[in-house]
């Protein structure tokens, strides 16, 4: 039938063949059939549908500009139903986004959020707007986007992501402009990190522990902060060798005059280190604490292990 150029059914058959190949996952054959169809029947009633499906294939292949061209023509024709036109605009917006056309994508995203497109589409848009705004450093605006996603366009898979990012935005405000944040906001971030850690699959278990630990420490919840830092050093090889974090933990115990507990922390990390300078820092900490314990014999035992000239003044 397709070989007969005079057949009245060639137009529909060629279009349907492209659709069938698309449904079967034979993308290359689907491309070929839609190309042949559009070339032979440029004014077909199914032209916009074919361009829509071809745009989907190009989007899947991350050929953003080619996808943009197809979806633009679909929207210019404006002969599909409202939902299909909105879906084409959604594809167009995301193609612009991945192409790096920020202004164009944001304009289309705003239009989509004000349209009748489904909640799932709006949820993904508002979440991405939040992430991008966070990355630009406008953390207050990012929080607003994440709250819109949760409250206006809830999505089972994205709600937990948005809660995590709200906590991250609060954390960044506290880090960069601590005078602009209230203790109750920090408490909120701590609660959000805690919620994330209770999930069977946390969004980011290490970041939640690490950032919650610092926020807890800032509010003087020292023992709770130490639990987060301890978890990190026990469960993450990178943090286990983090001398700065080790010293933070050790100092918490030293402030309570728990010299033995502090040295236990230092010794655990020391055994993992190879860098001499990093080891020196912990050696000195350990000797100071032994001095506090008045364990002179232990100090003398440690002296040969120190790759430096021992100075008693350093232990005071």
């Amino acid at each position: 039938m397709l070989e007969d150029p005079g057949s009245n059914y060639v137009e529909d058959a060629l279009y349907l063949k492209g659709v069938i190949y698309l449904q079967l996952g034979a993308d290359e054959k689907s491309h070929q059939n839609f190309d042949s169809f559009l070339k032979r029947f440029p004014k077909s009633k199914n032209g916009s549908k074919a361009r829509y499906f071809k745009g989907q294939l190009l989007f899947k292949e991350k050929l953003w500009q080619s996808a943009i061209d197809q979806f633009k023509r679909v929207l210019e024709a404006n002969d599909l139903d409202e939902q299909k036109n909105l879906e084409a605009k959604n594809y167009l917006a995301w193609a612009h986004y991945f192409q790096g056309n920020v202004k164009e994508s944001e304009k289309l995203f705003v239009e989509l959020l004000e349209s009748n497109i489904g909640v799932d589409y709006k949820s993904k848009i508002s979440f991405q707007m939040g992430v991008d705004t966070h990355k630009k450093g406008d953390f207050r605006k990012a929080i607003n986007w994440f709250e819109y996603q949760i409250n206006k366009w809830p999505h089972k898979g994205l709600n937990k992501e948005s809660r995590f990012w709200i906590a991250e935005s609060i954390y960044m405000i506290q880090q960069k402009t601590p005078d602009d944040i209230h203790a109750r906001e920090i408490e909120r971030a701590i609660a959000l990190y805690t919620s994330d850690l209770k999930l069977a699959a946390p969004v980011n278990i290490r970041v939640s522990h690490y950032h919650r630990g610092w926020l807890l420490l800032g509010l003087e919840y020292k023992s709770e902060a130490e639990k987060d830092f301890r978890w990190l050093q026990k469960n993450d090889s990178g943090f286990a060798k983090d001398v700065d974090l080790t010293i933070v933990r050790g100092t918490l115990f030293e402030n309570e005059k728990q010299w033995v507990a502090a040295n236990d922390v230092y010794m655990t990390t020391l055994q993992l280190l190879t860098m001499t300078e990093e080891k020196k820092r912990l050696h000195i900490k350990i000797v100071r604490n032994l001095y506090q314990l008045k364990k002179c014999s232990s100090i003398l035992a440690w002296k040969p292990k120190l790759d430096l000239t021992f100075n008693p003044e350093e232990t005071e």
Side-chain angles (χ1 to χ4, degrees):
M1 178 171 64
L2 293 180
E3 286 71 22
D4 178 6
S7 171
N8 294 328
Y9 300 103
V10 171
E11 179 179 333
D12 288 343
L14 196 55
Y15 164 72
L16 290 173
K17 193 175 180 182
V19 173
I20 291 169
Y21 277 132
L22 178 65
Q23 293 172 341
L24 292 173
D27 293 354
E28 187 57 37
K29 289 184 177 180
S30 183
H31 264 307
Q32 292 170 0
N33 276 271
F34 285 135
D35 285 341
S36 296
F37 168 76
L38 290 168
K39 184 177 181 180
R40 292 178 64 180
F41 306 103
K43 296 183 180 181
S44 169
K45 65 182 185 299
N46 289 317
S48 290
K49 292 180 182 178
R51 290 189 180 90
Y52 176 89
F53 290 132
K54 185 165 177 61
Q56 280 187 317
L57 288 167
L58 293 165
F59 189 93
K60 179 181 176 182
E61 294 165 2
K62 299 182 180 181
L63 298 171
W64 309 124
Q65 188 56 55
S66 297
I68 287 169
D69 294 340
Q70 293 298 325
F71 289 119
K72 272 186 174 180
R73 293 193 65 177
V74 170
L75 293 172
E76 286 167 2
N78 194 30
D79 56 1
L80 299 182
D81 61 45
E82 180 187 17
Q83 187 59 34
K84 268 288 180 282
N85 276 335
L86 287 173
E87 289 175 6
K89 181 179 281 191
N90 183 67
Y91 273 116
L92 178 62
W94 284 106
H96 273 300
Y97 176 83
F98 293 124
Q99 181 82 339
N101 305 328
V102 178
K103 288 185 178 180
E104 189 62 32
S105 64
E106 286 187 354
K107 175 178 175 292
L108 291 167
F109 282 150
V110 170
E111 290 176 7
L112 286 163
L113 290 174
E114 295 173 350
S115 74
N116 292 323
I117 201 167
V119 170
D120 282 358
Y121 295 98
K122 293 182 178 182
S123 186
K124 291 172 184 176
I125 289 169
S126 59
F127 174 77
Q128 194 61 53
M129 294 286 278
V131 171
D132 289 348
T133 306
H134 175 96
K135 290 178 179 177
K136 292 174 184 176
D138 191 346
F139 304 115
R140 293 287 179 194
K141 188 174 180 181
I143 290 170
N144 289 339
W145 277 115
F146 294 126
E147 288 178 338
Y148 288 151
Q149 186 276 304
I150 294 168
N151 298 320
K152 294 181 69 174
W153 307 300
H155 183 283
K156 185 178 180 181
L158 290 177
N159 285 0
K160 71 172 186 177
E161 299 272 352
S162 285
R163 293 189 184 99
F164 172 81
W165 279 97
I166 289 171
E168 283 291 276
S169 294
I170 294 171
Y171 175 82
M172 291 306 300
I173 295 170
Q174 194 275 338
Q175 291 292 300
K176 293 183 176 295
T177 55
D179 293 338
D180 295 338
I181 197 161
H182 194 277
R184 66 175 175 271
E185 291 183 282
I186 297 175
E187 294 277 8
R188 181 190 183 195
I190 290 170
L192 290 169
Y193 284 131
T194 300
S195 295
D196 182 53
L197 292 169
K198 288 180 179 178
L199 297 173
V203 175
N204 193 320
I205 190 168
R206 286 164 177 75
V207 169
S208 287
H209 273 295
Y210 189 63
H211 288 174
R212 184 179 69 173
W214 284 111
L215 294 179
L216 286 164
L217 193 58
L219 293 180
E220 297 294 316
Y221 298 137
K222 297 178 183 178
S223 63
E224 295 303 310
E226 207 287 320
K227 289 177 184 176
D228 274 326
F229 297 149
R230 183 171 68 241
W231 185 94
L232 284 163
Q233 294 207 298
K234 181 180 179 181
N235 293 281
D236 185 281
S237 59
F239 282 113
K241 299 177 183 178
D242 187 330
V243 173
D244 291 325
L245 186 59
T246 297
I247 291 174
V248 168
R249 290 184 62 207
T251 302
L252 289 173
F253 288 113
E254 290 166 351
N255 290 341
E256 300 298 322
K257 298 185 178 181
Q258 298 181 35
W259 317 114
V260 173
N263 274 4
D264 286 343
V265 171
Y266 297 141
M267 280 295 300
T268 300
T269 299
L270 186 61
Q271 293 169 2
L272 303 173
L273 298 177
T274 55
M275 292 179 62
T276 302
E277 290 303 314
E278 296 293 272
K279 293 173 80 170
K280 281 182 182 179
R281 294 173 67 192
L282 297 184
H283 281 156
I284 291 172
K285 286 283 189 179
I286 290 167
V287 171
R288 284 175 175 169
N289 290 338
L290 292 172
Y291 182 83
Q292 293 290 345
L293 289 166
K294 308 301 181 186
K295 292 189 175 181
C296 296
S297 60
S298 296
I299 295 174
L300 292 173
W302 266 91
K303 184 179 176 182
K305 300 178 184 179
L306 297 173
D307 186 19
L308 49 84
T309 302
F310 181 71
N311 182 355
E313 291 181 0
E314 291 181 340
T315 65
E316 296 178 358

